[in-house]
Amino acid sequence: MERLIHTAVSGAELAQTALRITANNLANVNTTGFKADMEQARAMQISGDGYRTRFQAQLLPVATDIQPGAMMETGRDLDVAVNGKGFIAVQDAAGKEAYTRAGELQVGADGALTVNGFAVLGGGAAIQLPEFGDIDIGTDGTINLLPVGGGVVEQAERIKLVDSEGMTMLKGADGLFRPQGEEELAQSDAISLRTGVLEGSNVNAVEEMVSTMNVSRQFELNLRMMKTADELATSGNKLISG
């Protein structure tokens, strides 16, 4: 078979992956703390007999743009945004530690502090708050509670904040980040929070829409290349049989 087909098929596969990633980015353009994903690929030479003139696209793991999104003032006491390259520690569905930039915190009826359904971690355990009348979250993640009916403000817990400086953070299918190697990160005093603020998505809708159109054209071009490869193979078979 004409090796051009390998180039065309791998290119079409890459285009399909890019379209899925772009569509997901656009779907999350208004998601708090969302980080845009990017497809990656490299040219790989096809080995075999004959001249080495054919290449195919080799898919690489999806990368994530961890640049901060725009900050939005909300005035809500439970809304926080992480400064710098830090993350909020949470507990994933498997009970393991993971990290997020989303800061729209919620307090459940049982006092559990969560973000996007994941329990927020304090000193290694999920934060459980007692009944309170008012709440204040300090820049270092310390949670101060005013008892119901007034009284002395009490320090309840401290949100675990970690620093990702110099680390490769990988985003999972659940939208949470984990360091390469899966090790847990230590609490960092270098990371701080802004209260009454949320970090928006870092997706640029216009760029993603333009990318969608370009990738669609690339996909169509690869389909034409497949047809050409098939025609070349058919012609070669006729010459051999003739």
Side-chain angles (χ1 to χ4, degrees), residues 12-28:
E13 183 181 6
L14 174 61
Q16 282 186 314
T17 300
L19 281 172
R20 287 197 299 269
I21 291 172
T22 303
N24 185 61
N25 287 341
L26 284 171
N28 287 280

Side-chain angles (χ1 to χ4, degrees), residues 167-221:
M167 303 204 61
T168 301
M169 302 296 288
L170 305 177
K171 187 166 70 171
D174 55 6
L176 300 178
F177 287 84
R178 297 164 182 84
Q180 195 171 35
E182 296 287 332
E183 70 272 19
E184 292 185 2
L185 305 182
Q187 173 92 35
S188 175
D189 293 330
I191 301 301
S192 61
L193 295 176
R194 292 176 60 185
T195 56
V197 178
L198 286 177
E199 178 186 352
S201 169
N202 68 353
V203 175
N204 185 312
V206 174
E207 289 182 359
E208 295 296 332
M209 291 177 69
V210 172
S211 177
T212 299
M213 292 186 287
N214 290 335
V215 172
S216 296
R217 294 192 188 101
Q218 291 171 13
F219 183 75
E220 291 173 3
L221 178 61

Side-chain angles (χ1 to χ4, degrees), residues 109-176:
D110 59 352
L113 186 66
T114 62
V115 58
N116 291 339
F118 299 105
V120 177
L121 297 179
I127 294 177
Q128 201 81 18
L129 301 177
E131 188 177 3
F132 60 87
D134 201 1
I135 187 171
D136 174 72
I137 301 176
T139 57
D140 65 348
T142 299
I143 301 174
N144 298 303
L145 301 178
L146 180 67
V148 177
V152 179
V153 174
E154 301 175 354
Q155 181 177 323
E157 277 279 7
R158 183 184 178 189
I159 296 172
K160 183 176 180 180
L161 304 174
V162 301
D163 190 355
S164 65
E165 186 69 43
M167 303 204 61
T168 301
M169 302 296 288
L170 305 177
K171 187 166 70 171
D174 55 6
L176 300 178

Side-chain angles (χ1 to χ4, degrees), residues 77-93:
D77 293 335
L78 285 170
D79 285 345
V80 296
V82 184
N83 289 317
K85 294 185 177 180
F87 288 86
I88 295 172
V90 297
Q91 190 175 63
D92 65 15

